[in-house]
Amino acid sequence: MSENEDIPVGEDGGQPHTQVGGVHRKVDAMERMRGVTRYTDDLKLPRMLHAKIKRSPHPHAKILSIDASAALAMPGVHAVITGKDLPEPYGIIPWTPDETALCVEKALHVGDGIACVAADDEDTANEALEKIVVEYEVLEPLFDPEQALEARDNPINPYSLKGNLSKKVLLEFGDVDATLEQSDLVVEADYFFEGTTHAAIEPHCALAHVEANGILTVWSATQVSHYLHRELAKVLGLPANRIRVIQPPLGGAFGGKSEPFDLEFCVAKLAVMTGRPVKLLYTREEVFYSHRGRHPMKMKYRTGFTKDGKITGVDAKTVLDGGAYSSFGLVTTYYSGQLLCAPYGFDAYRFHSKRAYTNKPACGPKRGHGSVQPRFAIECQIDKAAEVLGLDPIDMRLHNDIGADSETVNGFKVGSNGFSECLRRVRSSSVWDSKRKELPYGRGIGVAGSTYISGTNYPIYPNDMPQAAVQITLDRSGRARIFSGANDIGQGSNTMLAVIAGNELGLPLDDIRVLSADTDLCPVDLGAYSSRITLMVGNACVEAAQKLRRLVCEAVGKRWEIPRKRVTLAQGQAIDREDPERNVTLAEAFVWAESDNGLLAATGSYNTPKDRHGDYRGGTIGASPAYSFTAHVAEVEVDPMTGVVDVKTIWVAHDCGRALSRKIVEGQMEGSAYMGFAEAIMEQHVVDPGHNGVHPGPSLLDYRIPTFLDTPELEALIVESPDAQGPYGAKEAGEGPLHPSIPAIANAIYDAVGVRMDSLPFTPPRVLAGLQARAEQERTAESPPHKPDTNGARRIA
Amino acid sequence: MSGPSRSSAPDALLLRTSINGDAVQLAIEPHHTLLEVLRYQLDLIGSKQGCDKGDCGACTVQIDGKPALACLTLAAHAEGREVSTVEGLGDAHGGCHPLQDAFDRHDAAQCGFCTPGILLSAEALLRDRARPVSRQEVREALAGNLCRCTGYTKILDAVVDASEVMHGTDAPSARPTSKEEAAQ
Ligand code: FES
Ligand code: FES
């Protein structure tokens, strides 16, 4: 067959990369674009009831009594539950079980769930909520984390063991004080990172039903089906084997759906009580109050430098505002320090982080969990040092790159490292060198770098089982089925699995079916968090697919009387590598292999190497099999009269190890950079202490997120520095590329107008205040004029 | 809303409309939005609800060819008009509209929840212009559709690409590259 001339046949015994590294149509995108994909709220079961949750209007109150009799008496109301029906405390981190499905004793923030009604329809359920009478004793709310830590007589969370201290971490590596003392330059500054939220366009939704066989099935818009499965079993008091969790296609998550929420427990309990399917869809307002977004952090940083720009040591003190519950807060508190030790190497480091409970919606993991905030601080510190030392900020970062196969000061083992290459790529694409010199007053360019984990070395609950597993079966019609517990949340993990299996088995993606995130059908996976799926589930998939490839090649080799390694699988065919004219369809090859072996099925699993971290307490938290690296350059224009910052372009270079599917990787980089830009310029998830702790604008109009018109040009530059730990060398791409957006913009604003933005977000009033302060300093000759005003931009007088 | 609200038959209205070219007659509640009727009475689940108050654009449909927010439109407003939803988008193009194909090639849908609404806004733009469009035109036409996943870049690529597929690239307004635009 002449077309075989084009078929890559690969090295002896290895597969040609017919899929890996290419551009793919996602396996599940077209059905989404036709509007036939069923997301959770699109599911409808016979006799389905609708549930709504009554929520606290108080930020801090004791619940004295709840009278639901009038609600229950309404026609169309089927059941009402309160905290007493589900009193078992749970927490996504097993060491901090400090929340209940609905409040039992106290409401801890405005919007905390008090009671839940199941009714024939939503109107009736909403009306019934009005008829539930709750008697509260209002308590003093605490909104400021530092005040909360002081207020020993007013503990917020009843399950907390240490008052309003949710978690404290103090770790020191090397002699920080002596190092800073001996440094040529110490930069000292305070930073504030504002809270922000995920704002996925799909609101949270869950549906539960007890099937005829007694299995409780819960469909939920979750990114962690396995953890939800465990917590449902715990809180409902049911054995896990009587519960099935299914994650339907998901409309975005970004960390905002990575732990159980009140609605999942409520629909499950109500389905058990009523014997009917029960669905609950959050309103957009409820999504804002359920939150679990970025922690506000107050950060005090001291950073030492040599005069040639080497970082000598870092001393970081951080207060995290945790909100009412722990959520992932134990991990966040560690991440606020542990993930700072690359891409720059330094020898002395101390971080002291404290997380406080406050009467606000709980904070949790948002894309770039816990490390976006300290990254903002350190990258601004470096920029300040570069200025004092008269160094180019990119050169300075190149000079500090910790390099490949290195060890961080806190004991993490770094494998591959493409950071310097990332810096070089953004430098040339942005035309940094000339812009840095030539941009006039009002326009500027800034750089920042970062690193992120590709999954965590240890799962949330300690166990020795694999962190990821995949099962593949081959079908005699020439198709493959992949069963995986991984949650595709829009990042494309189903396609990633198909690309890997297609690469190993020579199948087109159309012939691969991925069944994911159903706890009855799929092997356990821990979920879509900490950027773990490509590396971990990808490795498991490679293993399973390679086992099957061997069986198929063996069967073909046997019939052709050639060694297995001479057979290669590509483009739907089994081919004799040395005589490509000899080939057979994969359907036929699968039939041969099934005839020889019985059903063609294989499993693969992955567990992390355990030698990637130090052995001090907490040394495992933040350790990862592989680290990604990123550099951004942002170009901005600042209007000195209004303080409006217009971000023109962000160049995003990201070392993802190996791009398994290029456009999907670019999409992750662009989406990340967008989200960081949004946090830099406009987003603020806050509650208003002056108005009893309500959210000032829990809607997508008032909580402004960037539109098509607001978003800058995003130039994704893929850098590949393959890592021995990743499948084909791949590392993460979904979270790392968010980090540098924010400090790169801050540093660009400084380049434009000479104003340091140490507090987020960079809103016009803050920028104007900075401009006024700078003008005053220039007037009194405390600072020199920032830079020449060549294009006539007017300065504040 | 996650489902139909209480039916109180005496108030029901008879709605006669056309949906994706099909004549439809059904009894609706006068206070029901078009989004509720589409999703929960007609099972046209392609129109999404992201906010139910006009902020996100996920529910965008077309009424008489113009983009409209179904969550802010009373169903009764569709009386005698033509409603188009994402389910009807590919019909005249052998099952797949050039926009859908371009979104697929560019991986412009991540979670896909914003996509139906964006496709309907974009289709109206391309029909109206009937020539290749610039990135800036797309930005302006889609400014009411929020996407939280993509950073919009791949969507811009896809819409411009689809406009070129549909209308050729040699028309005078063929797209400036992103770099040219950035330099403006
Ligand atoms: S659901 Fe209609 S605009 Fe958001
Ligand atoms: S693709 Fe997820 S919101 Fe647009």
Side-chain angles (χ1 to χ4, degrees), chain A residues 53-75:
Chain A
I53 294 174
K54 186 172 183 75
R55 298 187 176 277
S56 169
H58 303 294
H60 197 188
K62 204 161 154 184
I63 299 168
L64 300 178
S65 66
I66 303 175
D67 181 0
S69 53
L72 271 168
M74 281 174 58

Side-chain angles (χ1 to χ4, degrees), chain A residues 24 31 59 90 107 173 237 306 342 372 375 384 426 450 454 457 503 513 551 596 628 666-667 682 729 735 738:
Chain A
H24 306 94
E31 64 175 60
Y90 68 91
F173 310 91
T306 62
V372 171
R375 181 56 53 192
K384 291 174 186 178
V426 291
S450 69
S454 305
N457 252 57
N503 200 69
R513 176 92 195 276
L551 293 180
D596 292 355
S628 72
E666 286 172 5
M682 50 179 74
E735 299 190 76
L738 188 152

Side-chain angles (χ1 to χ4, degrees), chain B residues 11-24:
Chain B
D11 300 335
L13 292 177
L14 180 66
L15 173 69
R16 284 156 307 201
T17 185
S18 147
I19 298 184
N20 300 328
D22 293 338
V24 172

Side-chain angles (χ1 to χ4, degrees), chain A residues 303-563:
Chain A
T303 313
F305 299 88
T306 62
K307 54 179 178 308
D308 63 346
K310 274 291 291 166
I311 303 171
T312 55
V314 178
D315 182 18
K317 230 177 164 166
T318 303
V319 176
L320 296 82
D321 184 349
Y325 299 102
S326 278
S327 175
F328 280 83
L330 180 149
V331 176
T332 321
T333 312
Y334 271 105
Y335 280 8
S336 71
Q338 286 288 72
L339 300 185
L340 200 70
C341 302
Y344 315 114
F346 42 87
D347 295 334
Y349 181 43
R350 175 170 61 216
F351 77 93
H352 185 182
S353 293
K354 277 187 198 172
R355 182 180 190 270
Y357 287 107
T358 53
N359 290 111
K360 301 177 185 176
C363 296
K366 183 181 164 189
R367 201 172 198 171
H369 184 190
S371 63
V372 171
Q373 303 96 320
R375 181 56 53 192
F376 165 56
I378 191 79
E379 296 294 325
C380 292
Q381 292 281 92
I382 294 173
D383 208 65
K384 291 174 186 178
E387 196 199 11
V388 175
L389 299 169
L391 298 169
D392 175 88
I394 291 183
D395 289 340
M396 187 161 156
R397 285 173 171 81
L398 286 166
H399 187 39
N400 280 287
D401 181 0
I402 193 167
D405 302 317
S406 51
E407 187 172 330
T408 63
V409 65
N410 58 342
F412 296 164
K413 303 249 187 345
V414 174
S416 76
N417 176 350
F419 183 54
S420 288
E421 178 61 15
C422 291
L423 287 166
R424 286 191 282 268
R425 289 288 295 280
V426 291
R427 170 174 241 153
S428 67
S429 294
S430 68
V431 202
W432 167 271
D433 292 306
S434 60
K435 281 188 181 153
R436 189 79 185 170
K437 280 194 214 87
E438 288 155 20
L439 286 179
Y441 181 81
R443 292 182 58 190
I445 192 162
V447 66
S450 69
T451 185
Y452 200 63
I453 55 177
S454 305
T456 60
N457 252 57
Y458 294 85
I460 279 174
Y461 64 97
N463 70 77
D464 294 325
M465 290 174 284
Q467 284 219 44
V470 165
Q471 183 183 28
I472 306 179
T473 66
L474 300 183
D475 183 280
R476 56 183 78 167
S477 73
R479 289 171 54 101
R481 282 183 297 273
I482 304 175
F483 298 86
S484 154
N487 298 89
D488 192 319
I489 60 176
Q491 87 283 44
S493 60
N494 285 346
T495 303
M496 180 274 295
L497 293 172
V499 165
I500 288 179
N503 200 69
E504 291 299 330
L505 293 162
L507 284 169
L509 301 199
D510 283 348
D511 285 335
I512 299 170
R513 176 92 195 276
V514 183
L515 292 110
S516 61
D518 177 331
T519 61
D520 255 21
L521 299 182
C522 304
V524 165
D525 183 69
L526 302 182
Y529 65 95
S530 77
S531 280
R532 54 181 292 290
I533 289 187
T534 293
L535 187 138
M536 297 194 185
V537 190
N539 272 326
C541 189
V542 170
E543 182 185 310
Q546 287 185 344
K547 285 180 185 167
L548 290 170
R549 173 157 61 84
R550 277 193 288 276
L551 293 180
V552 173
C553 291
E554 187 76 55
V556 173
K558 189 169 122 192
R559 279 158 187 81
W560 289 347
E561 296 176 340
I562 57 173

Side-chain angles (χ1 to χ4, degrees), chain B residues 35 48-59 69-72:
Chain B
L35 185 61
K48 298 301 177 198
Q49 179 192 308
C51 69
D52 210 21
K53 58 208 294 259
D55 298 340
C56 73
C59 64
L69 297 175
C71 73
L72 289 186

